[in-house]
């Protein structure tokens, strides 16, 4: 493939892009469908939080060795294997739910799917330079990020309507089907067009037999992050921020479904509206970074997370206060008033 070939005629990238567009949409469906399934099965915010914590801890732990694994395996085969495994795991949920809710299945499924997702994401990001020439790398990444932004808007809406129509378990099954399509599309993609020597890096061998390779697999990533003067504090801050904010979606879901009594379709639309902020931030990040600097952008983004959360809490407290009275436009006495 000559370097002069425009990106729109790059078959490998376009097949990869379209396959991942569907996969991103399916992943966005699961982000809403999984906590909804837990809430519908248990009615417990605590159970939702347990599943979320399991997912967060697994993602952090897998991220420590994901790069080690990706460097030592064939990336395309690894991504196909991750997609097929996730398709089987998520596709089995509707079949299991036919016999009634089985919350323990979600406790087993969540860490497996999260680990597979982390491995896939690392292989996915590191494979893009092998699909396009260096001059098209920025454009290719922009298209992939734009697809991700669209998925964060459309996925929750689709999840809400699917859940409202046929149930959250079926929504997870739809996500499993998208991973199957992604695996099939990767079968027709070659990652050996570009990237250094012109082919994907050969898998490296492990450091030895016994438990040495397993120990190195976990230690190598930690050593790299901890030795880097910038990545070390960023890793600590992001880890803390992740644990502080990972339950925010669960709280929003519980408030809309339990406290406000709205259906899953309404919830999906609310989550999708919040995704507009993701798109806006992605478009403004580069300019703000150049104008304001990294520190100001970081602190500003954290403050923007805090403001609406505090506003929601204040609104809830005001509504529960004795002085609050709902409007009665029908002539009937308002709640809490004397007859």
């Amino acid at each position: 493939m000559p370097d002069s070939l425009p990106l729109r005629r790059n078959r490998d990238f376009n097949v990869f892009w379209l396959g991942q567009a569907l996969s991103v949409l399916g992943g966005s469906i699961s982000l809403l469908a999984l906590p909804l399934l837990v809430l519908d099965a248990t009615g417990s915010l605590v159970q939702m939080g347990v599943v979320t914590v399991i997912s967060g801890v697994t993602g952090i732990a897998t991220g420590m060795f994901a790069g080690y694994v990706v460097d030592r395996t064939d990336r395309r085969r690894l991504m196909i294997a991750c997609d097929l495994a996730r398709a089987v795991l998520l596709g089995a949920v509707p079949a299991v739910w036919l016999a009634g809710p089985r919350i323990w299945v979600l406790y087993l499924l969540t860490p497996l799917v999260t680990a597979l997702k982390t491995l896939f994401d690392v292989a996915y990001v590191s494979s893009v330079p092998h699909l396009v020439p260096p001059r098209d790398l920025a454009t290719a990444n922009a298209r992939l990020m734009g697809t991700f932004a669209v998925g964060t808007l459309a996925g929750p809406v689709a999840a809400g309507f699917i859940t409202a129509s046929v149930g959250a378990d079926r929504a997870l099954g739809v996500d499993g089907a998208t991973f199957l399509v992604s695996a099939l599309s990767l079968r027709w993609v070659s990652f050996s067009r570009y990237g250094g020597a012109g082919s994907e890096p050969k898998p490296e061998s492990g450091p030895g037999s016994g438990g040495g390779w397993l120990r190195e697999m976990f230690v190598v990533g930690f050593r790299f992050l901890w030795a880097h003067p910038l990545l070390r504090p960023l890793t600590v801050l992001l880890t803390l921020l992740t644990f502080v904010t990972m339950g925010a979606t669960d709280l929003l879901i519980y408030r809309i479904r339990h406290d406000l009594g709205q259906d899953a379709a309404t919830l999906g639309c609310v989550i999708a509206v919040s995704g507009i902020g993701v798109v806006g931030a992605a478009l403004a990040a580069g300019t703000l970074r150049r104008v304001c600097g990294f520190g100001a952008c970081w602190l500003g983004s954290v403050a923007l997370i805090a403001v609406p959360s505090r506003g929601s809490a204040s609104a809830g407290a005001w509504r529960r206060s004795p002085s609050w009275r709902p409007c009665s436009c029908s002539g009937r006495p308002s709640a809490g008033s004397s007859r």
Side-chain angles (χ1 to χ4, degrees):
M1 182 180 296
D3 287 354
S4 60
L5 193 66
L7 191 60
R8 67 178 181 274
R9 295 180 57 190
N10 186 330
R11 188 189 70 86
D12 289 318
F13 172 76
N14 288 321
V15 172
F16 177 80
W17 178 31
L18 294 176
Q20 295 317 301
L22 184 60
S23 180
V24 166
L25 178 63
S28 298
I29 290 176
S30 280
L31 288 176
L32 182 60
L34 181 59
L36 274 176
L37 186 60
V38 176
L39 180 61
D40 291 343
T42 66
S44 171
L45 181 60
V46 175
Q47 297 273 24
M48 294 172 64
V50 170
V51 173
T52 300
V53 168
I54 291 174
S55 177
V57 171
T58 304
I60 293 173
T62 308
M64 296 301 296
F65 65 84
Y68 182 96
V69 173
V70 170
D71 282 342
R72 287 158 178 78
T73 56
D74 182 283
R75 289 184 182 135
R76 188 180 68 155
R77 292 180 180 178
L78 176 64
M79 287 191 288
I80 291 175
C82 290
D83 272 342
L84 291 177
R86 287 186 289 178
V88 171
L89 291 171
L90 293 173
V93 173
V96 172
W97 240 247
L98 289 175
R102 299 288 188 273
I103 191 65
W104 61 268
V105 172
L106 301 182
Y107 288 149
L108 294 177
L109 178 145
T110 297
L112 294 175
V113 171
T114 302
L116 292 168
K117 177 186 183 301
T118 304
L119 288 170
F120 182 94
D121 288 347
V122 174
Y124 162 87
V125 171
S126 60
S127 296
V128 177
H130 299 275
L131 289 171
V132 298
R135 63 177 177 81
D136 288 335
L137 187 58
T139 303
N141 281 323
R143 291 188 183 183
L144 293 171
M145 289 304 298
T147 301
F148 174 80
V150 172
T152 61
L153 295 174
V157 176
F161 281 101
I162 294 173
T163 300
S165 301
V166 295
D169 57 320
R170 304 291 179 86
L172 289 178
V174 171
D175 187 14
T178 65
F179 288 127
L180 183 60
V181 174
S182 174
L184 292 174
S185 68
L186 288 171
R187 177 65 180 82
W188 304 104
V189 175
S190 172
F191 292 102
S192 59
R193 299 289 187 183
Y194 304 98
S199 63
E200 185 179 354
K202 301 296 182 183
E204 302 175 14
S205 59
S209 59
W213 69 271
L214 184 61
R215 184 170 54 253
E216 168 112 357
M217 184 174 68
F218 282 93
V219 171
V220 65
F222 179 80
R223 283 177 177 170
F224 173 76
L225 291 175
W226 200 252
H228 198 286
L230 178 60
L231 293 181
R232 180 173 63 250
L234 281 179
T235 301
V236 173
L237 289 172
L238 283 172
T239 301
L240 294 175
L241 186 63
T242 297
F243 277 103
V244 170
T245 60
M246 66 167 45
T249 301
D250 291 344
L251 292 173
L252 180 61
I253 291 172
Y254 188 82
R255 178 156 180 75
I256 293 175
R257 292 280 283 160
H258 181 269
D259 297 344
L260 302 181
Q262 301 298 315
D263 60 9
T266 301
L267 172 62
C269 292
V270 171
I271 300 292
V273 169
S274 69
I276 297 176
V278 177
V279 179
L283 295 174
T287 302
L288 291 176
R289 171 68 175 82
R290 289 191 300 270
V291 173
C292 303
F294 173 79
C297 290
W298 175 282
L299 294 176
S301 64
V302 174
L304 288 175
I305 294 174
V307 170
S309 300
R310 178 58 184 169
S312 177
S314 299
W318 173 76
R319 184 173 180 177
R320 291 189 298 269
S321 66
S323 61
W324 179 81
R325 295 292 184 272
C327 176
S328 177
C329 300
S330 60
R332 297 192 182 105
S334 60
S337 63
S338 59
R339 292 185 177 274

